[in-house]
Amino acid sequence: MTAMSKERDRSQDPYPSRLPEERWLPRQDKAVWSQWRPDAPLTAQQADQFDRDGFLILKDVFSEEEVEALKAESSSLRGGERDLMEGSVVTEPGSDEVRTIFKLPEQSSLFNRLARDRRVAGIASFLLGDDVYVHQSRLNYKPGFTGKEFYWHSDFETWHAEDGMPRMRAVSASLLLTDNDALNGPLMLMPGSHKHFIACAGETPDDNHKSSLKKQEVGVPSHEALTKLAATHGITPATGKAGTLVFFDCNTMHGSNGNITPFARSNAFFVFNALSNRLEAPFGARKARPDFLADRSEPKAIEIATGELA
Amino acid sequence: MTAMSKERDRSQDPYPSRLPEERWLPRQDKAVWSQWRPDAPLTAQQADQFDRDGFLILKDVFSEEEVEALKAESSSLRGGERDLMEGSVVTEPGSDEVRTIFKLPEQSSLFNRLARDRRVAGIASFLLGDDVYVHQSRLNYKPGFTGKEFYWHSDFETWHAEDGMPRMRAVSASLLLTDNDALNGPLMLMPGSHKHFIACAGETPDDNHKSSLKKQEVGVPSHEALTKLAATHGITPATGKAGTLVFFDCNTMHGSNGNITPFARSNAFFVFNALSNRLEAPFGARKARPDFLADRSEPKAIEIATGELA
């Protein structure tokens, strides 16, 4: 079966979505796939916390010099001084300001090194209990004053339905490149929400990603489902200084508010997928999304690097 | 000079605005007009805090029963069960959901009693060192999921330019009717910003209020001014449980973010003006705004009531 094949038989799918009715299904996969060992890149308590909440916020992981170097690299990438790959740049609705740059390790040796770091890919590999590769990467920038909201969603719902990711065995790592507090539109996560799969109502339109990157309208849970999730699990903002590293499970419900404060928000974002979880044909769409959103090439395990970034 | 007269001579105006260029001017008026006395409705420390920050957040001022009664009254007013005054209701852009009901004391005996309470009008009268009357009142409701942002502004800038309020001698009281945290689009205030008058650039269009109540575009400071204010003064969210009472000076810079959380936000809002500060002709517009936004009738001092609300 290839990426371009017709929609597949859904009766065998543990996570069917984009159907006429919304449904709650139990998670069929672990969140932490490794047994903890003393040489793990997380403490046992951190691993338990990730298992329970579906995310983990790590402070002071990188040195001040490392953070400064990453911030400078980010400015340079956004500043228009580099030739960037065609189709890898998304602008803010209604302006030319760069909102997202995809394919980060392919376009920056420093971000390439960051992605391979033991503190990033090493933790991802531990959590997923497998070798990992980068499924998607991007540099996000949300300006002050006019930053738009990004509505609640589970990434896995989209990656499964539109990209053909078989199981919940992927994790996102977001490195904050600006100070984030609760008021400047931070990532908001619902702790424990990763244990429910909310199969969303509605068929996927062709080329859905062309609008969903700016404003997601298909693959989002109902107000009722979100109210129930938030009432049960609450909402936690991923706040911290530049350099804070946030890991969150592929199925953790998350979103972010708009931002009228003068304080912009930026992060470098890497999705790690388990090598054993490589993409198949989409489970809920006729056509797979482009390569910059979901790497469909033969996956190669990341070789994990240790020591200072640069 | 009447409300319908031509624009007045601006050379005598201590707070000229809506001019070709933005300007920073020093505040010419006090923020706390009374000497503190032991029988004041605020502690000396609270009065000092208001003077310094331009706002004050008071918790546990009302009993649980009082808060429940006010919440029930609010639901009833918003629920469509009452005949409301023509023009007093504003709906959410793109829906019929009630966002604002003006003229609150005129339409509800419980909110009338609240406005006159020593804990509300009594504090306002102490801060302003004068008898007070209600310049404007409203019930605000910002829904969950789709609540829109309200951009930074000083109320006084508008009340002076468009309503003809002569001096900075007015204070707003906002009673939270829902729990507010930093994530559901709370009121955000810049502490200390009330000491600067930012004269805004741009002429007032006729009937500006028809669009400015939904989205303010004239009478707002530049990105540069807001960046400088926020860097100097910071930003504080007015958070607290339902029943929390927030006082803020007429010139404190404030705004609120949108809200994608399921948690709606609601408050009852009263602007108290000093009796000696009654409206004149607008200082920066050709025509005064309608009565529900700025009471232009002969002001009568509120008689302050003590004891339980109901």
Side-chain angles (χ1 to χ4, degrees):
Chain A
M1 191 176 290
T2 73
M4 301 301 288
S5 72
K6 285 229 166 58
E7 282 186 61
R8 51 202 297 168
D9 173 15
R10 291 183 176 191
S11 64
Q12 302 304 309
D13 183 358
Y15 302 118
S17 191
R18 315 286 169 105
L19 298 171
E21 298 282 325
E22 183 175 84
R23 282 201 294 164
W24 290 56
L25 300 169
R27 183 185 180 110
Q28 310 266 349
D29 298 300
K30 289 187 266 192
V32 178
W33 294 70
S34 296
Q35 282 294 328
W36 186 80
R37 301 175 314 265
D39 66 345
L42 292 175
T43 67
Q45 194 195 12
Q46 288 170 333
D48 287 349
Q49 202 175 326
F50 184 90
D51 193 37
R52 183 193 67 206
D53 294 341
F55 65 88
L56 192 61
I57 299 170
L58 300 174
K59 317 239 171 189
D60 304 319
V61 172
F62 298 96
S63 72
E64 223 167 280
E65 292 72 29
E66 288 177 314
V67 175
E68 286 312 311
L70 290 162
K71 284 163 78 168
E73 178 73 357
S74 162
S75 294
S76 157
L77 285 164
R78 292 187 54 250
E81 301 150 37
R82 310 269 192 97
D83 279 339
L84 298 173
M85 296 161 75
E86 211 188 310
S88 73
V89 178
V90 180
T91 53
E92 184 76 7
S95 95
D96 280 344
E97 193 149 21
V98 172
R99 173 169 170 162
T100 306
I101 301 173
F102 288 97
K103 294 226 163 256
L104 209 41
E106 289 84 343
Q107 309 198 70
S108 156
S109 59
L110 185 63
F111 280 114
N112 186 299
R113 174 64 183 74
L114 174 70
R116 291 185 289 110
D117 198 90
R118 182 173 185 272
R119 294 164 288 183
V120 183
I123 290 176
S125 175
F126 168 76
L127 290 171
L128 303 179
D130 197 354
D131 284 338
V132 296
Y133 71 98
V134 174
H135 166 72
Q136 188 199 103
S137 64
R138 48 185 209 260
L139 184 66
N140 291 311
Y141 182 82
K142 193 193 247 190
F145 300 113
T146 59
K148 298 291 183 295
E149 74 277 7
F150 209 92
Y151 198 66
W152 299 106
H153 62 287
S154 147
D155 289 325
F156 179 77
E157 196 280 339
T158 297
W159 298 341
H160 185 68
E162 300 191 29
D163 298 335
M165 182 182 283
R167 308 293 299 209
M168 293 183 186
R169 198 169 182 174
V171 63
S172 295
S174 173
L175 178 74
L176 307 190
L177 293 168
T178 48
D179 297 349
N180 274 226
D181 67 20
L183 299 180
N184 70 335
L187 174 67
M188 299 188 288
L189 303 134
M190 296 195 190
S193 59
H194 64 305
K195 293 179 180 161
H196 313 279
F197 180 70
I198 300 181
C200 297
E203 212 183 336
T204 315
D206 287 343
D207 288 333
N208 181 42
H209 67 277
K210 288 186 182 164
S211 59
S212 74
L213 292 178
K214 299 204 173 189
K215 192 168 189 305
Q216 187 140 2
E217 280 171 353
V218 175
V220 294
S222 65
H223 284 188
E224 291 69 29
L226 290 167
T227 301
K228 190 175 158 190
L229 270 182
T232 310
H233 299 293
I235 299 173
T236 304
T239 58
K241 288 195 176 171
T244 298
L245 184 60
V246 183
F247 286 91
F248 61 101
D249 180 83
C250 58
N251 189 45
T252 303
M253 193 62 67
H254 64 284
S256 60
N257 278 323
N259 174 24
I260 67 161
T261 80
F263 308 116
R265 191 168 83 79
S266 176
N267 56 62
F269 192 86
F270 303 91
V271 181
F272 296 97
N273 192 19
L275 209 61
S276 57
N277 197 37
R278 65 176 294 188
L279 303 189
E280 302 178 1
F283 288 78
R286 278 177 289 271
K287 206 175 121 186
R289 300 195 300 170
D291 184 66
F292 67 90
L293 289 171
D295 189 345
R296 309 192 72 82
S297 63
E298 180 72 28
K300 278 214 310 243
I302 283 175
E303 281 185 49
I304 289 164
T306 54
E308 290 281 304
L309 289 182
Chain B
M1 192 176 285
T2 74
M4 301 300 289
S5 71
K6 284 228 166 62
E7 280 185 61
R8 52 203 296 167
D9 173 15
R10 291 184 176 190
S11 65
Q12 301 304 309
D13 183 359
Y15 302 119
S17 191
R18 315 286 169 104
L19 298 170
E21 298 282 325
E22 184 175 81
R23 282 201 294 164
W24 290 55
L25 300 169
R27 183 186 182 110
Q28 310 267 349
D29 298 298
K30 289 187 267 192
V32 177
W33 294 69
S34 296
Q35 282 294 328
W36 187 79
R37 301 177 312 266
D39 66 344
L42 292 174
T43 67
Q45 193 195 12
Q46 288 170 333
D48 288 349
Q49 203 176 323
F50 184 90
D51 193 39
R52 183 192 69 207
D53 295 341
F55 65 88
L56 192 61
I57 300 170
L58 301 175
K59 318 238 171 188
D60 303 319
V61 172
F62 297 96
S63 72
E64 223 167 277
E65 292 71 29
E66 287 177 315
V67 175
E68 286 311 311
L70 290 161
K71 284 163 77 168
E73 178 73 357
S74 161
S75 293
S76 156
L77 284 165
R78 291 187 56 250
E81 302 150 35
R82 310 268 192 98
D83 278 340
L84 297 173
M85 296 160 76
E86 212 189 308
S88 74
V89 178
V90 180
T91 54
E92 184 76 7
S95 95
D96 280 345
E97 194 150 21
V98 173
R99 173 169 168 162
T100 306
I101 301 173
F102 288 97
K103 295 230 163 250
L104 209 40
E106 288 84 342
Q107 310 199 70
S108 155
S109 58
L110 185 64
F111 280 114
N112 185 300
R113 175 62 185 73
L114 175 70
R116 292 185 289 111
D117 199 272
R118 183 173 186 270
R119 295 164 289 184
V120 182
I123 291 176
S125 175
F126 168 76
L127 291 170
L128 303 179
D130 196 354
D131 284 338
V132 296
Y133 71 98
V134 174
H135 166 72
Q136 187 199 104
S137 64
R138 48 185 209 258
L139 185 67
N140 291 311
Y141 183 83
K142 194 192 246 188
F145 300 114
T146 58
K148 299 291 182 297
E149 75 276 8
F150 209 93
Y151 198 67
W152 300 106
H153 63 287
S154 146
D155 290 323
F156 179 77
E157 196 280 336
T158 297
W159 298 341
H160 185 68
E162 301 192 28
D163 298 334
M165 182 182 283
R167 309 293 300 210
M168 294 184 186
R169 198 169 184 175
V171 64
S172 296
S174 173
L175 177 76
L176 307 190
L177 293 169
T178 48
D179 296 350
N180 274 225
D181 67 19
L183 299 180
N184 70 334
L187 173 68
M188 300 188 288
L189 303 134
M190 295 194 190
S193 58
H194 63 305
K195 292 179 181 161
H196 314 280
F197 180 69
I198 300 180
C200 298
E203 211 183 339
T204 315
D206 286 342
D207 289 333
N208 181 41
H209 67 276
K210 288 185 183 164
S211 58
S212 74
L213 291 179
K214 300 205 172 188
K215 192 168 188 309
Q216 187 140 2
E217 281 172 352
V218 175
V220 294
S222 66
H223 284 187
E224 293 68 30
L226 290 167
T227 300
K228 190 174 157 193
L229 269 182
T232 310
H233 299 293
I235 299 173
T236 304
T239 58
K241 288 196 176 169
T244 298
L245 184 60
V246 183
F247 286 91
F248 61 102
D249 180 83
C250 59
N251 189 45
T252 303
M253 193 61 68
H254 64 285
S256 60
N257 277 322
N259 174 25
I260 68 160
T261 80
F263 307 116
R265 190 168 83 79
S266 176
N267 58 60
F269 192 86
F270 304 91
V271 181
F272 296 97
N273 192 18
L275 208 64
S276 57
N277 196 37
R278 65 177 292 187
L279 304 190
E280 302 177 1
F283 289 78
R286 278 177 289 272
K287 204 175 122 188
R289 299 194 301 169
D291 183 67
F292 68 90
L293 289 171
D295 189 344
R296 309 193 74 81
S297 62
E298 180 72 27
K300 276 213 312 242
I302 283 177
E303 281 185 49
I304 289 163
T306 54
E308 290 281 304
L309 289 183

